[in-house]
Amino acid sequence: MSQHHEIDAFRVSMRDIDLNGHVHNSVYLDYFEDAVVNQLRAYDLLPYFRPATSGVSYHVKKCEAIFLHPLTVDDMIIPAVFIEKLGNSSLIFNIKLEIKDKKVICAEGKLVWVCVNIDDNKPRPIPEETRERLTANFSFIEAV
């Protein structure tokens, strides 16, 4: 994977497994969101995304998952989070989940977040300081 701030690996839990013995498709969205939040935490950026400390809110507008290799219980996963696009009011995170021992990407995902006003939930520009911190800390990846 490309350069990124390493996020702690996690182990697939039995609670995430479906009747076929693989991670349920919807659980990948939890993995993607956890990876983004953990990356923001690693860069000390969470206060820029909490309404109480930033004065704005971020809503998930779109989420996408591409399944490349099945995950099973006890697999160790290494997430990597990149920014695909930093728009005026939207932000696209690109997430890759790698199976640690196999060195294979098992899933790729995208989360589109939109910055909104707290009072009316209407889109607004991402605050400049947030934009600067994201640019300084995240690796950018081209859209595929």
Side-chain angles (χ1 to χ4, degrees):
M1 283 190 271
S2 187
Q3 291 181 2
H4 64 281
H5 186 279
E6 189 158 328
I7 306 172
D8 291 336
F10 65 92
R11 188 173 303 277
V12 173
S13 174
M14 187 60 142
R15 70 176 172 264
D16 298 339
I17 303 301
D18 64 16
L19 294 174
N20 296 313
H22 299 118
V23 170
H24 191 279
N25 294 349
S26 66
V27 174
Y28 285 87
L29 299 177
D30 291 335
Y31 292 168
F32 296 154
E33 189 166 270
D34 287 347
V36 168
V37 170
N38 288 336
Q39 190 76 63
L40 292 171
R41 185 179 295 110
Y43 291 134
D44 198 27
L45 291 173
L46 277 180
Y48 295 89
F49 290 87
R50 290 187 173 136
T53 52
S54 69
V56 297
S57 184
Y58 290 84
H59 295 183
V60 176
K61 181 175 183 174
K62 180 180 177 181
C63 49
E64 175 181 306
I66 300 171
F67 307 105
L68 303 168
H69 189 280
L71 288 175
T72 60
V73 70
D74 229 26
D75 281 341
M76 285 297 294
I77 308 305
I78 302 171
V81 179
F82 306 90
I83 292 179
E84 185 173 298
K85 181 181 177 189
L86 183 55
N88 183 45
S89 63
S90 66
L91 170 63
I92 301 175
F93 290 104
N94 183 302
I95 305 100
K96 298 183 185 309
L97 303 178
E98 178 182 298
I99 303 173
K100 185 175 182 177
D101 297 334
K102 297 179 183 176
K103 302 285 185 196
V104 64
I105 303 294
C106 60
E108 296 181 12
K110 294 182 186 183
L111 294 177
V112 179
W113 287 7
V114 176
C115 182
V116 299
N117 292 314
I118 294 173
D119 55 346
D120 62 8
N121 289 320
K122 290 187 179 179
R124 55 147 292 150
I126 295 169
E128 193 57 38
E129 188 176 1
T130 303
R131 182 180 302 282
E132 289 169 6
R133 295 286 306 268
L134 288 167
T135 302
N137 288 286
F138 276 85
S139 295
F140 283 70
I141 191 170
E142 299 220 9
V144 181

